[in-house]
Amino acid sequence: MRTAGHAEWTKLRTDAANGWLVLGVVVLTVAVGATVAMTSRCDAVGCGGDPTRLSLTGVLAGQVVVAIVAVLMVGNEYGTGMMRTTITAVPRRPTVLVSKAAVLSAVMLAAGSVSVLGSLLVGRIVQPGRGFTAAHGFEALSLTDGPTLRAAVGSVLYLVLIGLLGLGVVVVVRNSATAIGIVLALLFVFPILAQVVPDPDWQRHLQQLAPMTAGLAVQTTVDVDALPVGPWQGLGVLALWAAGALAAGGWLLEARDA
């Protein structure tokens, strides 16, 4: 297992494109979060804003790059035929998938932590000047605040789970472009459907099942009771999607020729 993991880490870090993509996760997440923080305002008590979630808006953009990194990690091997070499070197195919998942999780845990902490730091600096002050009912963003800490930790885990979802999908379809399309559809089509379905009950059910909508509930720190699914329960929904994709990928990796 250690040898397989080291091999996967070597493959990931020696491809310069992966380094730029991981850097892109951080830059895009922080940049979008900073833009939202600098353009949001709270002009009176009860303005209805959620400063923590606003600061973490960049996760919406960063997740796309995370999915691309995860998909290319396997898709490139299928595209070049290197997967046959990988399977020959590590005949136990579940070990191959677990090693890829472990390396990807570690990388995204690091990138996600830097992204989230950077976003919150920018929010802490910028938002008081945008009206998110104690006078309007908001304290400065701090990880000592329970809901903010939960949103931060949950956002990092969210990015890791998006990566694992992408990894599972690409092992199933064995094509990078198709896998990226499927992952993006899973993330963004559900929210669109929830908006166009007229029945409120069905809207709520779709929000509870949607990997992105449910997963990002963990960022909410204001009016949590109004959410269609609880913060940690929502992250659990995303975890089930990721686990299902990895289980399907693992089964097909065993059943098919490389």
Side-chain angles (χ1 to χ4, degrees):
M1 179 68 184
R2 178 178 294 181
T3 302
H6 185 267
E8 294 302 330
W9 166 241
T10 300
K11 285 187 283 187
L12 186 68
R13 69 180 175 81
T14 53
D15 187 340
N18 289 327
W20 287 108
L21 285 170
V22 172
L23 178 61
V25 173
V26 177
V27 172
L28 189 60
T29 302
V30 175
V32 172
T35 300
V36 173
M38 289 186 289
T39 55
S40 302
R41 286 202 62 85
C42 180
D43 295 321
V45 176
C47 63
D50 186 340
T52 301
R53 184 155 194 166
L54 289 172
S55 294
L56 296 174
T57 304
V59 171
L60 281 166
Q63 68 177 342
V64 176
V65 188
V66 170
I68 292 172
V69 174
V71 166
L72 294 181
M73 189 176 183
V74 173
N76 283 345
E77 289 197 47
Y78 277 117
T80 61
M82 188 177 177
M83 182 58 76
R84 296 188 184 89
T85 304
T86 299
I87 296 299
T88 301
V90 186
R92 297 191 59 173
R93 299 188 181 193
T95 301
V96 173
L97 184 58
V98 170
S99 298
K100 290 181 181 295
V103 170
L104 178 66
S105 296
V107 171
M108 291 310 159
L109 189 65
S113 297
V114 174
S115 301
V116 167
L117 291 175
S119 297
L120 290 176
L121 178 60
V122 172
R124 179 182 174 87
I125 295 171
V126 170
Q127 286 180 338
R130 305 298 298 172
F132 291 93
T133 61
H136 293 160
F138 298 100
E139 299 297 330
L141 295 180
S142 172
L143 293 179
T144 60
D145 175 60
T148 300
L149 178 61
R150 182 250 296 153
V153 172
S155 294
V156 175
L157 294 177
Y158 176 88
L159 290 173
V160 172
L161 289 171
I162 291 297
L164 294 177
L165 175 63
L167 184 66
V169 170
V170 73
V171 174
V172 171
V173 301
R174 303 198 289 189
N175 180 274
S176 296
T178 303
I180 291 171
I182 291 172
V183 174
L184 295 182
L186 287 173
L187 294 178
F188 294 104
V189 169
F190 274 98
I192 294 173
L193 288 176
Q195 293 297 318
V196 300
V197 170
D199 189 290
D201 290 333
W202 275 105
Q203 287 181 359
R204 188 175 183 86
H205 292 323
L206 286 171
Q207 291 169 345
Q208 291 169 335
L209 292 173
M212 184 173 74
T213 305
L216 288 178
V218 78
Q219 293 183 342
T220 302
T221 63
V222 176
D223 295 328
V224 175
D225 293 338
L227 292 171
V229 62
W232 291 119
Q233 292 89 338
L235 199 64
V237 170
L238 175 58
L240 288 174
W241 277 95
L246 287 171
W251 180 75
L252 289 171
L253 189 63
E254 282 272 32
R256 299 183 301 202
D257 292 335

